Amino acid sequence: VGAMAAEENVFLGARGRTLTAFREADEFQWKGPFYFIQGADPQFGLMKSWAVGDTQNGDDEWGEEIQLAEQAVHAINKLNPKPKFFVLCGDLIHGMPGTQWREAQEQDLKKVLKNIDQDIPLVFASGNHDIGNTPTRETIENYCKNWGDDYFSFWVGGTFFLVLNSQLYFDSSKCPELKQAQDEWLNEQLAAAAKQKSKHIIVFQHIPLFLSKADEDHNYFNLEKSVRQEIMEKFEKAGIKAVFSGHYHRNAGGFYRGLEMVVSSAIGCQLGEDTHGLRVVVVTEEKIVHRYYSLNELSSQGMEKELLDLLAKQN
């Protein structure tokens, strides 16, 4: 039972709206540059369903995604120094709530992820395939049982991180009270971060605010314009430096005033010209520097000198 429980804890690091791996009291202070790894959309099952042209029921095989996720874990485990954490920005699996292969996909992903170095905490953001395009209280509760809280915050080395449930911004029609709860919580968190004088504030969520321009038209891959505008203004006013997301299965991004929107392509199925990969994000006292690496590149060569040099600069 002990081993089972410990294994479960790897996936349930987000509890009580924070991340248990980091003791808040130890992490308020800036201690010098550090980095983390961001990945998105391992989405077990999408490659087959995309290939056969049946995204509703065609996800009965995911061997290719298993190999890619294993390669991602292998690449992360080899990195030296170690990243502070590994965040996955949603669409862990392809099977929507209530579909046939969902449970098997989740189990297979957990099998791969539990091989991550135990000193590298896992951080999860929920995607539309994890809780449904129109989430309900039940789909969100189910997600939380498997992967921890659907939104939470944590401190690492003087930087404040927020993980949000972007599905509540996309369509909260079946659980408006949950959206309201997240909104109220977020306002409290931003007020607290202002008091603590965080060095940086960084957000993780699945759906990008926008793909390249803050005023672009609404489509499946971004948030509706009025919702987006409200969030961008709130974030910018709070001094949030960057929002990291997935969902698009391609690399993209842009700026809204001082706020950078970073859209990372998938570990799994690619819908554009990018390659299966991970993003390395270095946090220095002045700025946030990031670079997307293909899995092959990261596992064979690791981080380039330029990023390692930033980490070596002791402030």
Side-chain angles (χ1 to χ4, degrees), residues 60-84:
D60 59 347
E61 287 175 28
W62 49 90
E64 217 173 334
E65 282 102 340
I66 290 176
Q67 286 179 327
L68 290 161
E70 284 173 346
Q71 194 182 357
V73 166
H74 176 69
I76 293 167
N77 284 345
K78 275 174 72 177
L79 291 168
N80 185 17
K82 288 188 209 302
K84 283 284 185 190

Side-chain angles (χ1 to χ4, degrees), residues 135-156:
T136 65
R137 182 174 278 280
E138 189 188 14
T139 64
I140 291 174
E141 276 171 8
N142 199 8
Y143 169 86
C144 294
K145 275 188 205 123
N146 265 303
W147 304 102
D149 288 349
D150 61 321
Y151 60 89
F152 55 96
S153 65
F154 59 100
W155 286 82
V156 175

Side-chain angles (χ1 to χ4, degrees), residues 3 10 23 29-30 32 51 58 69 73 82 90-91 100 102 166 168 173 214 217 220 228 231 242 244 282 301 305 307:
V10 178
R23 278 197 51 215
Q29 297 304 315
W30 176 256
V73 166
K82 288 188 209 302
D91 281 3
Q100 192 178 355
R102 181 179 172 87
S166 57
L168 295 174
S173 58
D217 288 341
Y220 174 77
R228 177 198 318 168
I231 297 170
F244 289 87
V282 177
Q301 292 154 30
K305 186 176 183 312
L307 293 185

Side-chain angles (χ1 to χ4, degrees), residues 29-42:
Q29 297 304 315
W30 176 256
K31 303 186 185 90
F34 64 91
Y35 81 105
F36 61 86
I37 301 290
Q38 183 224 1
D41 303 272

Side-chain angles (χ1 to χ4, degrees), residues 155-229:
W155 286 82
V156 175
T159 298
F160 188 52
F161 293 94
L162 290 154
V163 177
L164 299 179
N165 178 345
S166 57
Q167 228 44 46
L168 295 174
Y169 296 127
F170 187 81
D171 182 359
S172 62
S173 58
K174 288 187 180 162
C175 54
E177 74 288 357
L178 296 184
K179 177 185 187 292
Q180 194 185 340
Q182 176 172 259
D183 287 345
E184 286 167 8
W185 172 88
L186 179 59
N187 290 338
E188 285 164 14
Q189 295 294 308
L190 293 174
K195 280 204 189 78
Q196 281 293 349
K197 302 206 175 5
S198 57
K199 194 62 82 178
H200 305 287
I201 308 176
I202 294 173
V203 171
F204 300 120
Q205 62 186 52
H206 180 61
I207 302 180
L209 299 170
F210 58 88
L211 299 172
S212 57
K213 292 190 177 69
D215 60 353
E216 70 198 17
D217 288 341
H218 170 53
N219 64 43
Y220 174 77
F221 289 111
N222 60 20
L223 289 178
E224 196 272 314
K225 271 177 124 166
S226 61
V227 174
R228 177 198 318 168
Q229 191 59 38

